[in-house]
Amino acid sequence: MATNWAGNVTFSAPEIYQPVQVEAVQDLVSRATRIRALGTGHSFSTVADNTGDLVSLGGLPRRVEVDPALSTVTVSAGLRYGEVVTELHEQGYALRNLGSLPHIGIAGAIATGTHGSGTRNGNLSSDVAALDMVRADGELIRLSRDSGGDEFLGSVVSLGALGIVTAVTLDVIPTFDISQVVYEDLPWSYCLDNLDEVMASGYSVSLFTDWRRDVIDQVWLKRGVDTAGAAVITEPSWHGATHAPGPRHPLPGLPGTECTEQHAVVGPWHLRLPHFRLEFTPSSGEELQSEYFVDRADGPAALAAVHELRDVLASVLQVSEIRSVAADELWLSPAYRRDSLAIHFTWIKDTAVVLPMVGLVEAALAPYDPRPHWGKVFTCKPESFARTYDRYDDMRLLISRLDPTGVFRNDFLDTYLLPHSRRGSSGTS
């Protein structure tokens, strides 16, 4: 039976189709009672699961089509970021940001609000300029940022609820170089007192900690180069943290050789922004993951609240990563209209042991209205989404209007989006 990458989700679908033409996707959808798209399986939640059919889009014709006039690239939805970035760079273009893994699929990452880091960088979905999507009746439509209005804003991070995306058009910028440096043992007190400064100290910044000591174990600074192309000078000490003498991996004890180049060696964006090299599998999947977005202004208090749990988390947690994500206008994005701090947890692979710890983290973060990553493990009550997402009711109306017979519904959507109402819609859908 098919499972996700981590093996904690066994897909319920009796068959997984692998069409090689968009027309075949249209035919499958038009005949289906229930159908969902399945990406690379890097989600830890059941967001993609379905008791009806599943469709994998990896077999569709490969598209990487740059439009210089519009500064966009249109790619097949089934491609992984790592399959696109080298060709983009060779043509002189770049994406603004990447996630920590280049192995993830483009359409799935966009649909769940996946992200990298950087105070000025939105999540990966924020670069979507247009979507090619098969609707519930089998019609192939193109929905763009320029003309799609509210429907577009609801359709980008849509959890697969509105259709099967066959191609994605992304904004591109001129290719650029960047360098990466790792520092160790940044004092917690300095981090909490100067969190905005720390997170804005590079193009992309990631903090790694196991919460056990009064330090941030590793700070990964991905910083731009000067006009002459030289890397920013690597200081031996940075706010009390020290420069790591060798390549580091986020998880203690694992080889840093699997990670992208460190030590301020200048390189192209696609070889520095991810944490892991495309040619390596970053781990065996022996883990579970959770992640919560809070308002960046609440970041110090939220981090302090989690730090209070360090003794009970110690035996269950492998590592946490803390990143920054700029606000966007996408209805179900965890960063919707909120510059955010994303607090990520990589747990041991034991669901029965992990879930109570997840509940403790959620309780600690509750005063700060956390939004969980849709593709990770969480135990939040469905009503919490109605409270924390301003366009929750609008999204429910959009789903009901575009998929009235529930072709793209599954248990995940039925639980977290469709059965609950709150104060009333803004009436814009």
Side-chain angles (χ1 to χ4, degrees):
M1 300 182 71
T3 69
N4 65 341
W5 174 71
N8 69 304
V9 175
T10 298
F11 296 116
S12 306
E15 188 157 3
I16 300 176
Y17 292 95
Q18 296 181 309
V20 295
Q21 298 292 334
V22 172
E23 292 80 6
V25 178
Q26 294 179 260
D27 182 61
L28 286 168
V29 172
S30 66
R31 294 187 288 108
T33 302
R34 288 284 178 99
I35 192 167
R36 299 276 293 172
L38 176 64
T40 56
H42 281 89
S43 286
F44 294 80
S45 72
T46 57
V47 62
D49 194 26
N50 188 27
T51 54
D53 298 324
L54 285 174
V55 178
S56 172
L57 302 177
L60 292 183
R62 186 177 188 277
R63 295 177 65 187
V64 182
E65 302 167 359
V66 174
D67 187 330
L70 296 178
S71 295
T72 61
V73 60
T74 298
V75 300
S76 315
L79 290 178
R80 302 168 187 248
Y81 279 94
E83 297 176 279
V84 171
V85 292
T86 299
E87 185 171 340
L88 260 185
H89 171 67
E90 290 173 349
Q91 295 189 49
Y93 296 97
L95 301 175
R96 286 187 179 85
N97 210 0
L98 293 170
S100 59
L101 294 177
H103 311 73
I104 59 176
I106 294 174
I110 287 166
T112 55
T114 298
H115 60 97
S117 189
T119 56
R120 298 182 179 180
N121 298 324
N123 65 25
L124 304 182
S125 315
S126 64
D127 282 336
V128 174
L131 298 169
D132 292 0
M133 179 185 295
V134 178
R135 291 286 198 217
D137 59 1
E139 181 185 4
L140 178 66
I141 62 100
R142 183 171 178 81
L143 192 62
S144 75
R145 180 194 294 143
D146 292 338
S147 60
D150 272 357
E151 187 173 322
F152 175 82
L153 297 175
S155 296
V156 179
V157 183
S158 65
L159 315 180
L162 301 178
I164 293 182
V165 174
T166 60
V168 180
T169 300
L170 302 169
D171 297 330
V172 294
I173 59 176
T175 192
F176 61 97
D177 288 337
I178 203 161
S179 68
Q180 179 171 236
V181 180
V182 175
Y183 289 96
E184 297 178 307
D185 296 344
L186 177 71
W188 256 110
S189 57
Y190 182 87
C191 182
L192 293 183
D193 291 343
N194 302 276
L195 185 61
D196 286 345
E197 176 191 347
V198 169
M199 299 310 295
S201 58
Y203 185 88
S204 172
V205 178
S206 291
L207 313 180
F208 291 96
T209 180
D210 60 10
W211 307 95
R212 300 182 190 186
R213 302 184 296 146
D214 288 326
V215 294
I216 297 292
D217 298 289
Q218 298 179 20
V219 180
W220 289 41
L221 297 181
K222 302 172 191 284
R223 297 187 285 195
V225 300
D226 63 24
T227 54
V232 175
I233 295 174
T234 303
E235 308 94 331
S237 178
W238 187 77
H239 303 301
T242 57
H243 180 219
R248 292 294 187 260
H249 191 288
L251 289 174
L254 294 183
T257 52
E258 297 182 358
C259 298
T260 46
E261 187 80 40
Q262 299 165 20
H263 300 298
V265 178
V266 174
W269 59 281
H270 64 292
L271 300 181
R272 296 295 182 274
L273 289 175
H275 296 334
F276 298 99
R277 300 174 189 261
L278 180 62
E279 61 267 29
F280 287 98
T281 300
S283 73
S284 61
E286 292 300 312
E287 63 192 53
L288 299 174
Q289 295 181 11
S290 301
E291 187 172 37
Y292 301 91
F293 290 60
V294 299
D295 192 305
R296 196 183 297 154
D298 292 326
L303 293 178
V306 177
H307 196 250
E308 290 296 313
L309 301 175
R310 59 189 178 277
D311 291 338
V312 295
L313 298 180
S315 63
V316 182
L317 183 72
Q318 298 190 55
V319 73
S320 274
E321 181 178 8
I322 300 160
R323 290 177 284 181
S324 188
V325 185
D328 59 56
E329 292 291 323
L330 307 174
W331 290 1
L332 290 187
S333 166
Y336 175 75
R337 290 193 176 177
R338 202 167 73 175
D339 287 333
S340 299
L341 195 74
I343 309 172
H344 181 276
F345 301 85
T346 297
W347 310 101
I348 63 172
K349 189 180 175 182
D350 187 331
T351 301
V353 172
V354 166
L355 286 182
M357 297 299 107
V358 170
L360 287 176
V361 169
E362 291 172 355
L365 293 176
Y368 313 108
D369 288 331
R371 296 171 180 166
H373 189 301
W374 296 105
K376 311 292 185 183
V377 175
F378 58 85
T379 63
C380 300
K381 301 298 183 184
E383 52 266 27
S384 70
F385 295 92
R387 185 182 69 252
T388 58
Y389 281 91
D390 295 341
R391 305 304 292 268
Y392 179 88
D393 283 335
D394 291 330
M395 189 65 191
R396 294 176 64 243
L397 287 174
L398 189 61
I399 294 171
S400 297
R401 177 165 66 84
L402 297 180
D403 185 18
T405 61
V407 171
F408 302 116
R409 288 175 65 164
N410 65 354
D411 288 345
F412 186 92
L413 294 178
D414 287 346
T415 299
Y416 296 110
L417 274 181
L418 295 170
H420 298 281
S421 186
R422 56 170 191 157
R423 60 184 180 269
S425 166
S426 67
T428 55
S429 293

